[in-house]
mmCIF file of all heavy atoms in Angstrom:
data_model
loop_
_atom_site.group_PDB
_atom_site.id
_atom_site.type_symbol
_atom_site.label_atom_id
_atom_site.label_comp_id
_atom_site.label_asym_id
_atom_site.label_seq_id
_atom_site.Cartn_x
_atom_site.Cartn_y
_atom_site.Cartn_z
ATOM 1 N N PRO A 12 90.928 -283.210 28.256
ATOM 2 C CA PRO A 12 90.288 -282.384 29.250
ATOM 3 C C PRO A 12 91.156 -281.284 29.825
ATOM 4 O O PRO A 12 92.403 -281.410 29.755
ATOM 5 C CB PRO A 12 89.968 -283.420 30.419
ATOM 6 C CG PRO A 12 91.152 -284.385 30.309
ATOM 7 C CD PRO A 12 91.633 -284.259 28.941
ATOM 8 N N GLY A 13 90.571 -280.197 30.351
ATOM 9 C CA GLY A 13 91.324 -279.234 31.068
ATOM 10 C C GLY A 13 90.466 -277.990 31.399
ATOM 11 O O GLY A 13 89.296 -277.943 31.073
ATOM 12 N N SER A 14 91.078 -277.104 32.142
ATOM 13 C CA SER A 14 90.380 -275.873 32.582
ATOM 14 C C SER A 14 90.436 -274.834 31.418
ATOM 15 O O SER A 14 89.541 -274.003 31.239
ATOM 16 C CB SER A 14 90.993 -275.236 33.813
ATOM 17 O OG SER A 14 91.066 -276.234 34.801
ATOM 18 N N PHE A 15 91.568 -274.829 30.767
ATOM 19 C CA PHE A 15 91.754 -273.988 29.557
ATOM 20 C C PHE A 15 91.453 -272.505 29.849
ATOM 21 O O PHE A 15 90.674 -271.817 29.152
ATOM 22 C CB PHE A 15 90.915 -274.446 28.355
ATOM 23 C CG PHE A 15 91.133 -275.853 28.012
ATOM 24 C CD1 PHE A 15 90.140 -276.857 27.982
ATOM 25 C CD2 PHE A 15 92.388 -276.335 27.643
ATOM 26 C CE1 PHE A 15 90.287 -278.176 27.678
ATOM 27 C CE2 PHE A 15 92.675 -277.701 27.274
ATOM 28 C CZ PHE A 15 91.598 -278.600 27.310
ATOM 29 N N SER A 41 86.533 -278.048 31.697
ATOM 30 C CA SER A 41 86.012 -278.322 33.045
ATOM 31 C C SER A 41 85.258 -277.069 33.646
ATOM 32 O O SER A 41 85.687 -275.938 33.427
ATOM 33 C CB SER A 41 87.139 -278.794 33.987
ATOM 34 O OG SER A 41 87.870 -277.789 34.412
ATOM 35 N N LYS A 46 84.879 -272.749 41.605
ATOM 36 C CA LYS A 46 86.249 -272.338 41.280
ATOM 37 C C LYS A 46 86.178 -270.963 40.631
ATOM 38 O O LYS A 46 85.377 -270.757 39.689
ATOM 39 C CB LYS A 46 86.914 -273.321 40.377
ATOM 40 C CG LYS A 46 88.352 -273.062 40.156
ATOM 41 C CD LYS A 46 88.995 -274.236 39.357
ATOM 42 C CE LYS A 46 90.341 -273.796 38.797
ATOM 43 N NZ LYS A 46 90.892 -274.772 37.859
ATOM 44 N N LEU A 77 82.826 -280.306 30.852
ATOM 45 C CA LEU A 77 82.996 -281.331 31.779
ATOM 46 C C LEU A 77 82.501 -280.785 33.193
ATOM 47 O O LEU A 77 83.106 -279.921 33.721
ATOM 48 C CB LEU A 77 84.480 -281.643 31.896
ATOM 49 C CG LEU A 77 84.972 -282.659 32.924
ATOM 50 C CD1 LEU A 77 84.395 -284.048 32.707
ATOM 51 C CD2 LEU A 77 86.479 -282.701 32.955
ATOM 52 N N GLY A 80 81.125 -284.244 37.561
ATOM 53 C CA GLY A 80 81.238 -285.649 37.790
ATOM 54 C C GLY A 80 82.647 -286.141 37.424
ATOM 55 O O GLY A 80 83.630 -285.469 37.207
ATOM 56 N N LEU A 81 82.717 -287.476 37.421
ATOM 57 C CA LEU A 81 83.996 -288.164 37.135
ATOM 58 C C LEU A 81 84.313 -288.039 35.611
ATOM 59 O O LEU A 81 83.499 -288.191 34.722
ATOM 60 C CB LEU A 81 83.941 -289.600 37.460
ATOM 61 C CG LEU A 81 83.876 -289.935 38.925
ATOM 62 C CD1 LEU A 81 83.579 -291.470 39.165
ATOM 63 C CD2 LEU A 81 85.156 -289.594 39.632
ATOM 64 N N LEU A 82 85.628 -287.862 35.373
ATOM 65 C CA LEU A 82 86.147 -287.756 33.995
ATOM 66 C C LEU A 82 85.840 -289.144 33.296
ATOM 67 O O LEU A 82 85.476 -289.147 32.072
ATOM 68 C CB LEU A 82 87.535 -287.486 33.976
ATOM 69 C CG LEU A 82 88.304 -287.367 32.628
ATOM 70 C CD1 LEU A 82 87.689 -286.311 31.744
ATOM 71 C CD2 LEU A 82 89.806 -287.137 32.760
ATOM 72 N N VAL A 83 85.949 -290.164 34.017
ATOM 73 C CA VAL A 83 85.700 -291.519 33.368
ATOM 74 C C VAL A 83 84.286 -291.698 32.928
ATOM 75 O O VAL A 83 83.968 -292.287 31.911
ATOM 76 C CB VAL A 83 86.208 -292.705 34.240
ATOM 77 C CG1 VAL A 83 87.715 -292.738 34.349
ATOM 78 C CG2 VAL A 83 85.471 -292.767 35.612
ATOM 79 N N ARG A 96 96.592 -286.055 27.757
ATOM 80 C CA ARG A 96 97.160 -284.953 28.565
ATOM 81 C C ARG A 96 98.576 -284.631 28.154
ATOM 82 O O ARG A 96 99.378 -285.571 27.674
ATOM 83 C CB ARG A 96 97.148 -285.355 30.106
ATOM 84 C CG ARG A 96 95.821 -285.582 30.595
ATOM 85 C CD ARG A 96 95.044 -284.268 30.952
ATOM 86 N NE ARG A 96 95.590 -283.624 32.194
ATOM 87 C CZ ARG A 96 95.242 -282.425 32.575
ATOM 88 N NH1 ARG A 96 94.382 -281.715 31.936
ATOM 89 N NH2 ARG A 96 95.771 -281.952 33.726
ATOM 90 N N TYR A 106 101.821 -284.778 39.157
ATOM 91 C CA TYR A 106 100.431 -284.366 39.272
ATOM 92 C C TYR A 106 99.551 -285.380 38.487
ATOM 93 O O TYR A 106 98.476 -285.746 38.974
ATOM 94 C CB TYR A 106 100.340 -282.975 38.743
ATOM 95 C CG TYR A 106 98.931 -282.402 38.533
ATOM 96 C CD1 TYR A 106 98.153 -282.166 39.683
ATOM 97 C CD2 TYR A 106 98.425 -282.071 37.288
ATOM 98 C CE1 TYR A 106 96.775 -281.576 39.489
ATOM 99 C CE2 TYR A 106 97.164 -281.555 37.138
ATOM 100 C CZ TYR A 106 96.346 -281.274 38.248
ATOM 101 O OH TYR A 106 95.126 -280.765 38.120
ATOM 102 N N MET A 110 96.189 -289.424 38.915
ATOM 103 C CA MET A 110 94.906 -289.331 38.245
ATOM 104 C C MET A 110 94.758 -290.377 37.139
ATOM 105 O O MET A 110 93.759 -291.037 37.055
ATOM 106 C CB MET A 110 94.728 -287.901 37.674
ATOM 107 C CG MET A 110 94.682 -286.837 38.695
ATOM 108 S SD MET A 110 93.981 -285.280 38.023
ATOM 109 C CE MET A 110 95.263 -284.712 36.986
ATOM 110 N N MET A 113 94.265 -293.686 38.868
ATOM 111 C CA MET A 113 92.795 -293.730 39.295
ATOM 112 C C MET A 113 91.808 -293.999 38.187
ATOM 113 O O MET A 113 90.907 -294.798 38.334
ATOM 114 C CB MET A 113 92.515 -292.532 40.066
ATOM 115 C CG MET A 113 91.092 -292.455 40.689
ATOM 116 S SD MET A 113 90.864 -293.848 41.880
ATOM 117 C CE MET A 113 91.747 -293.197 43.315
ATOM 118 N N ASN A 114 91.963 -293.339 37.056
ATOM 119 C CA ASN A 114 91.107 -293.463 35.980
ATOM 120 C C ASN A 114 91.168 -294.895 35.346
ATOM 121 O O ASN A 114 90.154 -295.440 34.970
ATOM 122 C CB ASN A 114 91.414 -292.421 34.860
ATOM 123 C CG ASN A 114 90.938 -291.035 35.307
ATOM 124 O OD1 ASN A 114 90.109 -290.895 36.184
ATOM 125 N ND2 ASN A 114 91.543 -290.021 34.780
ATOM 126 N N LEU A 117 89.284 -297.043 37.978
ATOM 127 C CA LEU A 117 87.836 -296.865 37.979
ATOM 128 C C LEU A 117 87.211 -297.436 36.746
ATOM 129 O O LEU A 117 86.102 -298.036 36.848
ATOM 130 C CB LEU A 117 87.550 -295.353 38.090
ATOM 131 C CG LEU A 117 87.817 -294.568 39.382
ATOM 132 C CD1 LEU A 117 87.626 -293.119 39.152
ATOM 133 C CD2 LEU A 117 86.971 -295.160 40.502
HETATM 134 O O1 LIG B 1 93.652 -278.111 33.222
HETATM 135 P P1 LIG B 1 93.543 -278.770 34.469
HETATM 136 O O2 LIG B 1 92.918 -277.847 35.591
HETATM 137 O O3 LIG B 1 94.869 -279.324 34.884
HETATM 138 O O4 LIG B 1 92.479 -279.937 34.370
HETATM 139 C C1 LIG B 1 92.282 -280.883 35.351
HETATM 140 C C2 LIG B 1 91.158 -281.916 35.021
HETATM 141 C C3 LIG B 1 89.912 -281.256 34.599
HETATM 142 C C4 LIG B 1 91.754 -282.830 33.918
HETATM 143 C C5 LIG B 1 91.028 -282.747 36.297
HETATM 144 O O5 LIG B 1 90.668 -281.905 37.366
HETATM 145 C C6 LIG B 1 89.994 -283.905 36.208
HETATM 146 O O6 LIG B 1 90.296 -284.949 35.595
HETATM 147 N N1 LIG B 1 88.773 -283.711 36.745
HETATM 148 C C7 LIG B 1 87.773 -284.725 36.706
HETATM 149 C C8 LIG B 1 87.422 -285.170 38.174
HETATM 150 C C9 LIG B 1 87.753 -286.634 38.368
HETATM 151 O O7 LIG B 1 87.371 -287.518 37.537
HETATM 152 N N2 LIG B 1 88.434 -287.024 39.464
HETATM 153 C C10 LIG B 1 88.681 -288.339 39.881
HETATM 154 C C11 LIG B 1 89.680 -289.214 39.168
HETATM 155 S S1 LIG B 1 91.296 -288.547 39.011
#
Side-chain angles (χ1 to χ4, degrees):
S14 307
F15 306 121
S41 78
K46 187 174 165 190
L77 174 65
L81 289 172
L82 180 60
V83 291
R96 295 281 284 174
Y106 172 67
M110 295 197 290
M113 182 58 75
N114 289 336
L117 290 172

